[in-house]
Amino acid sequence: MDRVKSLASAILRDWMLLLGLLLLATVFFMAATAPFFFPQPPDTMMGPPLQWPGQYPGAPLGTDGLGRNILAGLFYGAQISLLVGFASVTVAMVFGILVGAFAGYYGGWIDNLLMRVTELFQTIPQFMLAIVVVAVLGPSIQVIIFSLAVVSWPAIARLVRGEFMVLREKAYVQGCIVVGMSDRRIIFTQILPNAMSGVTVMSTIMIATAILMESALSFLGFGDPNVTTWGTMIGMGKNNLRDAWYIMTIPGIALLLTALALNLVGDGLNDYLNPRLRSQRGQ
Amino acid sequence: MKPIRRRFPWAFLAKRVAYGALAMLVIAIINFFLLKLAPGDAAEALAGQAGTADPVYIAQLRAQFGLDQPLLSQLWAFVVRLATLDLGYSYVFNERVSVLIFSRMPATLMLMGAAIVIAVIGGIVFGVTAARYANRWPDRVISFVALLLYGTPPYWIGLMMILIFAVTLGWTPTSGMENVLAFNTGWDRVVDIAHHLILPALAQSIFYLAIYIRLVRAGMLEVLSLDFIRVARAKGISERRLSYRHALRNAVLPLVTVVGTNVGNFLGGAVLTETVFSWPGVGRLMFDAMFQRDLNLLLSILVLSSFFVIVANLVVDLLYAIINPTVELK
């Protein structure tokens, strides 16, 4: 309970973290209530095309060139953004933690080999690799999640490796070795929990990056053709850049606020989990 | 500053070149298996996705890829073709793939170079300013804007810039690299291209500008608290000179490494920027290749881009040693 209480007071003290959590809660609310507020799928024609925000009562944020309700698109798009962001980073976390933990714990040639492979993946231009994976496996939500995980795991692996290299020299870990605890148990039950705070902060920020990359793939037209995402909405809206600029502006702001929310939460968590670093940020 | 004389680090260079070659080999192998992952055999995938189901072409591709050979010799053939830059022929663009990519390289390099210069200079100026006014309003404004820019989709910023600066204000052209119909030559052409370059370079730099501001600010705050700064201040050196001459030199070192590691991301981002601004570079070519399902061209761009990143990283390492003589290259 004490932990909960101190987290709560940390949130109230840090208004940036609070703003981030509120924005994030709004996005989750939109994703959860999309079918409730908008029973029709977001790609159905709901009114006359190219209605500006406030002009047509059925669509408060206006309609696009095909008469689709932009507000409905925002709600359904939130589902895809959150799903892709969280799922891809979860996959990347599992893989990155495994690679980083073994490299950092065992050191030596295992470390050398794993880190060379990790560096290699960081050499290949991320976004291009994601595009090629989608090109080879075909555009679907699952493939996009996989492709974003493929480009995201190296950063986590390197972070976890660094933490493990420091933690494995600590007295309590040496103690575990002396009492004959198995490597696997030491790695997963003793060291990993202590390495998780950095991973949590990094993953929060990486979810923002993954959401932006998914939107970029959709924007280019390489997303799952069966779903409406914020990226596709921007991509469609750019054809009406001159006469109806609100179509591409509104989903862009939604993306910006979602990414901002995750970055604010990440920064706030960082201050909370690593209080020693707080002075460096001047908070 | 007195130049510090030292021998050129040949051993370091040789080691890094060897490592780079090894990295290229592994990247080629990854690409080989990516191609294997595609449904059907590679020849069918390549031909089908290039839009030609011509059996002669498929047979030609099979022979070219040696698909009747065992897996290892296929891999060997693939690597040899890459090493000799024999990347095949693009039926979509009617051109050899290597020629196609290299003809698009200059436009991308120009865009990347301009974006990196903008991001670095902007990052230093705003980062130093934020650090000098730490926790006062200029710092708060700069830091919040940086946070905002960090979360902005770069392609969307590009579209908004087109909307504001090109469509509404009419200050810049909306897209393209030059006004081809004007048949500009010499200096006029340079000015024309620069005019076209402003918006895409700005759009491309925004995200990195945000990172570099935060990085320079943090580095400056750390250096400004050190003793030698206190001594310099006690000597009566002006705050501006203190920041830019004394502290920045030390704070800017991490920036060089980060810019180096970002080269690959700049290339990846070029796909978006060049598509938004119809900039005729490698990124735009990659978009077209994806759109036309030209898988071979896509993979070739990925391999050559990775090669470019490896070379760029090597250059950055050497550069780092030149500006920071305490770094030992081994």
Side-chain angles (χ1 to χ4, degrees), chain A residues 116 119-120 123-125 127-128 132 135-136 215 219-220 222 234 241 245 248-249 252 255-256 259 263-264 267 282, chain B residues 19 23 26 34 38 135 147-148 150-152 155-156 160 163 214 264 268 286-287 290 293 298-299 305 309-310:
Chain A
R116 288 279 174 264
E119 274 169 25
L120 205 69
T123 307
I124 306 174
F127 191 62
M128 287 186 169
V132 168
V136 169
S215 81
F219 167 75
L220 292 175
F222 309 150
I234 298 176
L241 184 73
W245 51 264
M248 58 150 221
T249 307
L255 270 169
L256 167 64
N263 284 318
L264 287 174
D267 276 2
Chain B
Y19 172 62
V26 181
L34 262 175
N135 292 325
L147 196 64
L148 213 58
Y150 185 69
T152 313
Y155 58 93
W156 182 73
M160 296 309 279
L163 176 64
R214 295 181 77 168
M286 188 163 197
F287 172 80
M290 179 76 179
R293 318 287 305 144
L298 269 179
L299 284 170
S305 301
V309 175
I310 289 174

Side-chain angles (χ1 to χ4, degrees), chain B:
Chain B
M1 208 163 80
K2 242 189 305 177
I4 292 169
R5 288 186 186 280
R6 56 197 254 165
R7 282 176 46 228
F8 192 79
W10 288 112
F12 166 80
L13 196 66
K15 194 177 161 186
R16 285 300 307 261
V17 168
Y19 172 62
L22 188 68
M24 278 312 298
L25 183 69
V26 181
I27 287 172
I29 294 172
I30 292 174
N31 272 278
F32 177 77
F33 284 106
L34 262 175
L35 206 56
K36 286 267 149 207
L37 231 61
D41 85 346
E44 271 170 43
L46 287 171
Q49 294 184 341
T52 45
D54 181 12
V56 181
Y57 176 48
I58 295 183
Q60 191 193 336
L61 276 174
R62 281 227 171 80
Q64 189 186 348
F65 282 84
L67 288 177
D68 38 358
Q69 316 269 323
L71 195 68
L72 271 180
S73 45
Q74 280 184 44
L75 180 59
W76 174 244
F78 182 80
V79 171
V80 167
R81 285 195 309 114
L82 276 183
T84 52
L85 277 185
D86 172 17
L87 301 169
Y89 191 84
S90 167
Y91 283 81
V92 177
F93 294 92
N94 274 320
E95 182 61 87
R96 272 165 55 215
V97 167
S98 49
V99 174
L100 206 53
I101 296 176
F102 282 113
S103 69
R104 300 290 197 102
M105 258 312 183
T108 298
L109 291 182
M110 197 192 322
L111 179 63
M112 262 182 70
I116 290 176
V117 168
I118 293 173
V120 167
I121 293 180
I124 288 176
V125 170
F126 290 115
V128 169
T129 309
R132 282 175 66 188
Y133 297 94
N135 292 325
R136 283 184 278 159
W137 69 264
D139 175 34
R140 298 223 182 265
V141 172
I142 290 174
S143 294
F144 191 75
V145 170
L147 196 64
L148 213 58
L149 294 181
Y150 185 69
T152 313
Y155 58 93
W156 182 73
I157 275 273
L159 288 172
M160 296 309 279
M161 283 178 170
I162 293 180
L163 176 64
I164 294 168
F165 297 110
V167 175
T168 311
L169 297 171
W171 288 355
T172 58
T174 50
S175 63
M177 192 167 89
E178 59 180 318
N179 189 353
V180 197
L181 295 175
F183 298 106
N184 287 322
T185 47
W187 190 242
D188 287 343
R189 187 160 176 239
V190 175
V191 172
D192 186 40
I193 291 179
H195 196 205
H196 281 79
L197 179 64
I198 298 169
L199 280 196
L202 260 178
Q204 170 93 316
S205 68
I206 288 283
F207 178 78
Y208 303 95
L209 181 63
I211 298 180
Y212 300 164
I213 289 175
R214 295 181 77 168
L215 204 75
V216 171
R217 179 186 178 275
M220 284 292 288
L221 283 182
E222 216 171 294
V223 175
L224 281 175
S225 68
L226 296 179
D227 283 342
F228 81 94
I229 292 292
R230 184 175 306 185
V231 171
R233 192 173 277 142
K235 276 170 31 184
I237 290 168
S238 76
E239 283 297 312
R240 176 189 300 256
R241 196 180 157 83
L242 201 70
S243 298
Y244 283 97
R245 297 277 305 186
H246 294 246
L248 184 62
R249 284 222 174 133
N250 295 284
V252 89
L253 287 175
L255 190 64
V256 177
T257 323
V258 173
V259 173
T261 56
N262 279 344
V263 167
N265 304 13
F266 270 103
L267 264 179
V271 180
L272 288 162
T273 318
E274 292 180 4
T275 306
V276 168
F277 290 94
S278 304
W279 188 263
V282 178
R284 174 77 204 186
L285 182 67
M286 188 163 197
F287 172 80
D288 290 335
M290 179 76 179
F291 203 73
Q292 309 272 3
R293 318 287 305 144
D294 191 338
L295 206 53
N296 181 40
L297 180 55
L298 269 179
L299 284 170
S300 305
I301 294 176
L302 187 69
V303 171
L304 284 191
S305 301
S306 310
F307 178 63
F308 177 76
V309 175
I310 289 174
V311 173
N313 286 345
L314 180 63
V315 171
V316 168
D317 278 351
L318 286 172
L319 202 66
Y320 195 76
I322 292 170
I323 60 172
N324 185 6
T326 56
V327 172
E328 243 182 275
L329 297 174
K330 18 180 199 196

